[in-house]
Amino acid sequence: MALSYETEPTNYKEASKDPRWMQLELNSLNHNHTWDLLDLPPNASPIGSKWVFKIKRHADGSVERFKARLWHKLDVNNAFLHGDLHEAIYMKLPHGVLSSKVGQVCKLNKSLYGLKQASRQWFEKLTTFLQSQGFIHAHADHTLLTKIDSSSFTAILMYVDDIILAETSLSMINTLKKALDNTFHIKDLGQLKFFLGLEVARSTKGITLCQRKYCLELLHDAGLAGCKPVSTPLDASSRLHQDDGSSFSDVTAYRRLVGRHLFLTTTRPDIAFATQQLSQFMSAPTESHYKVALRVLCYLKQSPARGIFLSQALDLQLSGFSDADWGGCVDTRRSISGYCFFIGQSLVSWKAKKQLTVSCYSVEEEYRSLASATRELQ
């Protein structure tokens, strides 16, 4: 990973010494006519604000850009500033904004990061625009919109102000990007390489997805960057259960660690079962549970760049596998179901979950597991 010694300022005073932080955001706020300066109306209470500073990095750790955001408390430039407000909201003057008259406040015309209305208004404005271009929401996920015509297929996936665009026609991609840029001033980041912690690598055989950077950060934060790797995420000779050992003192730290394991299962199905087991003890973890969570990290150390491979082969046959562990939960005697599905050679869906009821026979738990897998298949 590339090393960078740039640090994020903790307040406006520090950031104002470096023009890379403030100028772009202030220009965007003014360009979008985010607020009007006026006297505070009677019986109105202004909200506060603060600047938040974040260094956005590439997958290799190098600096991509410096981002300053004013909060209450493709990448679209200042996405939330495009959201229109339908109610009167007043804000105290933030640092860096000057007024010719003492006591004036900002009457917001556009959403700001941190407003409870911001995400909703931005999503509404973007999807309204896309629908006007002929896109429709996917039934399973409303952040995915698709457009199909006689000669092309287009898909857009959104996460706040980050957008992934896929299209079978290069000319259609350019047309759509131009339309988005004219309306929202998008930044074209080129071919997809990094998205929400997922690293994307292409070859002539297909696409590989991994979370190497995230995995290394997790090891570093836990102080296990130099640990000795182990070959399995769990010890096969023991089962996790609600033991009588000493309670783990920092419950929040345990929950945070298991939550980060859960995010890693996006590209690491090999730790899905271990994460399911650890997730059972969020309310009252013990020292032994925490040690197992650390063991999973030692397993990840063995191959932090491991991920899933999506083959470019044209085999579109759908196949799946299902299994169950009868009475796998020591505490409740409920069985644990697991399944995985492939399109051709590409793994696209997987899960490990405790069954809702106790199965009296092994045949019963196998049928329950098969029923769960069938629902996923459909």
Side-chain angles (χ1 to χ4, degrees):
M1 296 178 65
L3 294 177
S4 172
Y5 297 99
E6 299 283 358
T7 58
E8 296 165 354
T10 57
N11 53 54
Y12 170 79
K13 185 176 180 180
E14 293 180 11
S16 62
K17 299 176 183 178
D18 189 338
R20 294 178 297 180
W21 284 107
M22 300 301 306
Q23 200 56 51
L24 181 62
E25 181 70 6
L26 286 172
N27 290 343
S28 296
L29 292 167
N30 292 326
H31 177 76
N32 285 283
H33 191 54
T34 308
W35 55 58
D36 292 318
L37 298 181
L38 45 73
D39 295 329
L40 183 67
N43 302 321
S45 299
I47 62 176
S49 64
K50 69 174 181 177
W51 288 102
V52 177
F53 308 98
K54 184 71 176 177
I55 296 176
K56 195 163 185 179
R57 301 181 183 274
H58 295 288
D60 63 358
S62 60
V63 175
E64 177 186 342
R65 63 185 183 273
F66 297 85
K67 297 184 71 172
R69 287 288 182 261
L70 184 62
W71 289 70
H72 160 51
K73 109 178 191 211
L74 341 44
D75 180 66
V76 180
N77 290 331
N78 310 97
F80 283 2
L81 303 187
H82 293 282
D84 297 316
L85 292 175
H86 305 299
E87 55 195 290
I89 299 179
Y90 302 93
M91 182 182 71
K92 298 175 183 177
L93 288 182
H95 292 293
V97 177
L98 302 178
S99 171
S100 58
K101 185 177 178 182
V102 177
Q104 286 193 317
V105 295
C106 299
K107 181 182 183 297
L108 297 183
N109 303 316
K110 304 284 186 179
S111 295
L112 277 181
Y113 293 84
L115 282 175
K116 64 181 181 180
Q117 302 93 335
S119 297
R120 181 181 69 248
Q121 296 304 125
W122 158 242
F123 183 75
E124 178 184 323
K125 188 156 190 175
L126 178 58
T127 54
T128 299
F129 169 79
L130 292 173
Q131 287 171 335
S132 71
Q133 301 293 311
F135 285 85
I136 59 174
H137 286 285
H139 292 296
D141 185 351
H142 271 213
T143 65
L144 174 66
L145 289 94
T146 59
K147 179 181 179 180
I148 304 174
D149 57 34
S150 58
S151 59
S152 65
F153 170 81
T154 310
I156 289 183
L157 183 65
M158 302 176 292
Y159 183 82
V160 192
D161 58 346
D162 290 322
I163 300 173
I164 295 178
L165 172 62
E167 168 64 78
T168 57
S169 167
L170 183 59
S171 62
M172 288 296 294
I173 284 184
N174 293 331
T175 300
L176 181 57
K177 286 196 296 187
K178 185 176 180 180
L180 286 167
D181 188 47
N182 290 337
T183 307
F184 300 110
H185 308 294
I186 67 169
K187 181 177 297 180
D188 188 353
L189 301 179
Q191 197 173 64
L192 180 63
K193 296 180 180 178
F194 193 69
F195 183 72
L196 302 180
L198 273 68
E199 300 173 45
V200 183
R202 289 177 172 81
S203 70
T204 56
K205 296 182 179 180
I207 296 175
T208 299
L209 303 177
C210 76
Q211 293 167 280
R212 175 182 173 274
K213 178 176 179 288
Y214 183 83
C215 187
L216 292 175
E217 289 175 351
L218 181 52
L219 285 165
H220 180 269
D221 293 346
L224 294 175
C227 71
K228 182 179 179 180
V230 295
S231 58
T232 59
L234 292 177
D235 184 355
S237 64
S238 62
R239 289 178 179 265
L240 288 179
H241 59 95
Q242 205 59 270
D243 59 46
D244 298 326
S246 57
S247 299
F248 184 60
S249 57
D250 193 343
V251 177
T252 302
Y254 179 85
R255 293 171 179 169
R256 185 186 303 115
L257 180 57
V258 176
R260 298 182 75 176
H261 287 357
L262 186 63
F263 183 60
L264 265 178
T265 61
T266 305
T267 59
R268 297 295 298 258
D270 51 336
I271 66 168
F273 176 70
T275 303
Q276 180 272 329
Q277 291 283 284
L278 292 166
S279 299
Q280 300 177 88
F281 312 107
M282 292 293 209
S283 60
T286 64
E287 292 286 349
S288 62
H289 298 146
Y290 185 68
K291 289 179 181 178
V292 174
L294 294 180
R295 177 192 170 93
V296 176
L297 295 184
C298 294
Y299 168 74
L300 294 170
K301 172 68 184 301
Q302 184 181 18
S303 53
R306 180 177 294 172
I308 57 176
F309 177 69
L310 304 177
S311 175
Q312 195 164 308
L314 296 180
D315 179 12
L316 296 181
Q317 181 179 357
L318 179 62
S319 59
F321 303 87
S322 171
D323 198 2
D325 181 14
W326 185 34
C329 178
V330 177
D331 297 312
T332 65
R333 303 308 302 168
R334 284 191 278 168
S335 305
I336 300 172
S337 297
Y339 61 70
C340 60
F341 285 92
F342 294 80
I343 295 181
Q345 301 175 356
S346 303
L347 179 63
V348 294
S349 178
W350 58 90
K351 180 182 261 188
K353 185 178 181 180
K354 191 190 299 182
Q355 294 183 0
L356 297 178
T357 58
V358 176
S359 297
C360 297
Y361 307 98
S362 61
V363 173
E364 182 183 350
E365 53 91 19
E366 291 287 356
Y367 272 117
R368 292 184 189 278
S369 179
L370 186 59
S372 175
T374 303
R375 287 192 293 270
E376 177 69 10
L377 173 67
Q378 292 176 331

